[in-house]
Amino acid sequence: MLENIMLSLRGIRSHRMRSVLTMLGIIIGIAAIIIIVAIIDGATAQLKESMVGGTTNNVTLSFYEKETSMFWATEYDTSTSGPIPGITTISDEAYNNVLAVDGVDDATRIYGHEDGSQTVMYLGNSAYSNVYGIDKDYFNISSRRLTAGRLFTARDYEMSNNVAIISDTMAGQLFKNEDAIGKTVQIGNELFTVVGVVTKLVDYSEIQNLGDYYMNVGMLESIAFVPLTSWSGVAGYDDIQNIIIKVNDPDKIVSASTAAAEVLNNALPTSEYEYKSGTLTDDADSLKQITDIASILLIGIASISLLVGGIGVMNIMLVSVTERTREIGLKKALGAKRRVILSQFLTESVVLTSIGGILGVLIGIGISKIIGMIAGLPSAINIGAIALSVGFSMAVGIVFGLVPSIKAANLNPIDALRYE
């Protein structure tokens, strides 16, 4: 085998231009596949971060109507009816079971409807905002950090103290240039003392366009937080609880959130409502379908180039057999068996396409990196795609080199020696 490989390399060197032109179809096809896979994988990863969990890998499990998949607060009038009868808080047992789900690093229970309609007031100044009731673990997994004052203490939760932490945006709206700490604000029908101010941390590496800038920087966050145990002072009752989970691996976001939702739903009484991660699973499935279809179409087009390259390999190997007819006849006259001749030409075909495959991989990686830098598109080098491409190029060599190799092996030695 080694001798056949050396003979093949010698033959390629002796016909450099012909060999390069023969490999060109293989090189273009493999490079196209590497580029396509790299760009699609990179774009998929970026879409997964923006659509599914982002770099924080946080997923909110909320309460939805089973049949319509509508968020419960959009079709249930809490202002007159209160929360859904019989369904209130997430028990400690259910919470601990969520923490035990594979992929879940941390979790936090939270009250709040995210409709921006709640009013926080201070001496005639008011801010329309979202108000949340949070537990002690919220700021462990939140992207918000304390800039003034303190966080909630264990005593705040035990005594159901009417204390609040507000965003820096709300502090500017309500208190202008005054210090917010220690001031009393009205939330709902209750008075709360401001004990802390938080700001949202921004990862500027995530900002790729104007929309990202608006969502992460430009959009003002007017938010107030109160202890979970003090929520009844805001809503007037113990509301439906949502839960935020932090997943330790982006690839486990869908599976972990689905399993966590199942844990919560098993603890619920029978009803037409359920916990789910909004459109998370639907988005992930749609993303997978889109990328799969795009991959199949584009790789199919690239494979046409490989087919053309394979035909070129067969053609050049047939020419090679014709050129070396006397050599084949001499080897057979000296006792070379059919399988030896077959192996020699088949090896040459495989070596030719394998070199083309390796060059295609290197060129594909380089071009995908250049495209990523120029167009601002992410690219991800897929080791599996590289291995598959090289293997496929070798398979092309075997398939399209088989006919010329069989022709060479079947030559009659006497006719071959007479060939001019």
Side-chain angles (χ1 to χ4, degrees), residues 43-173:
T44 299
Q46 187 180 58
L47 284 171
K48 184 187 291 185
E49 288 183 354
S50 62
M51 289 171 58
V52 180
T55 55
T56 57
N57 294 342
N58 288 352
V59 179
T60 301
L61 300 177
S62 303
F63 219 46
Y64 289 82
E65 207 274 336
K66 288 180 181 177
E67 290 188 7
T68 63
S69 293
M70 292 181 64
F71 183 57
W72 72 275
T74 62
E75 57 178 31
Y76 196 90
D77 188 0
T78 56
S79 63
T80 58
S81 307
I84 298 170
I87 301 175
T88 54
T89 60
I90 297 171
S91 68
D92 290 339
E93 181 182 2
Y95 173 75
N96 290 329
N97 288 338
V98 168
L99 289 176
V101 168
D102 179 43
V104 174
D105 257 359
D106 206 347
T108 181
R109 287 168 283 191
I110 183 172
Y111 286 128
H113 302 163
E114 299 190 357
D115 55 7
S117 63
Q118 290 149 313
T119 305
V120 180
M121 300 185 65
Y122 172 74
L123 298 181
N125 294 327
S126 62
Y128 289 99
S129 65
N130 291 325
V131 180
Y132 299 102
I134 60 174
D135 69 11
K136 58 183 178 57
D137 298 314
Y138 176 81
F139 288 109
N140 293 338
I141 64 177
S142 170
S143 60
R144 298 175 181 88
R145 293 295 178 267
L146 189 71
T147 58
R150 65 173 177 84
L151 298 178
F152 298 139
T153 64
R155 183 173 178 80
D156 291 330
Y157 288 97
E158 292 170 3
M159 304 300 294
S160 299
N161 290 337
N162 277 13
V163 290
I165 296 172
I166 62 174
S167 65
D168 50 359
T169 299
M170 180 179 287
Q173 290 173 325

Side-chain angles (χ1 to χ4, degrees), residues 5 37 59 392:
I5 292 174
V37 172
V59 179
F392 191 62

Side-chain angles (χ1 to χ4, degrees), residues 3 36 56 100 119 121 153 190 260 273 288 301 322 414:
E3 182 182 354
I36 290 166
T56 57
T119 305
M121 300 185 65
T153 64
E190 296 284 329
Y273 294 90
K288 187 176 185 303
I301 294 170
T322 303
I414 296 175

Side-chain angles (χ1 to χ4, degrees), residues 5-50:
I5 292 174
M6 297 305 296
L7 287 172
S8 301
L9 293 174
R10 192 180 305 158
I12 291 171
R13 282 198 301 270
S14 62
H15 300 91
R16 290 186 181 88
M17 182 59 69
R18 187 172 75 179
S19 298
V20 170
L21 292 175
T22 303
M23 291 187 290
L24 200 56
I26 304 294
I27 293 171
I28 293 172
I30 295 297
I33 290 174
I34 295 297
I35 293 167
I36 290 166
V37 172
I39 296 299
I40 287 179
D41 281 358
T44 299
Q46 187 180 58
L47 284 171
K48 184 187 291 185
E49 288 183 354
S50 62

Side-chain angles (χ1 to χ4, degrees), residues 215-227:
M215 292 298 295
N216 290 278
V217 182
M219 187 171 66
L220 300 178
E221 283 198 320
S222 184
I223 298 174
F225 302 95
V226 301

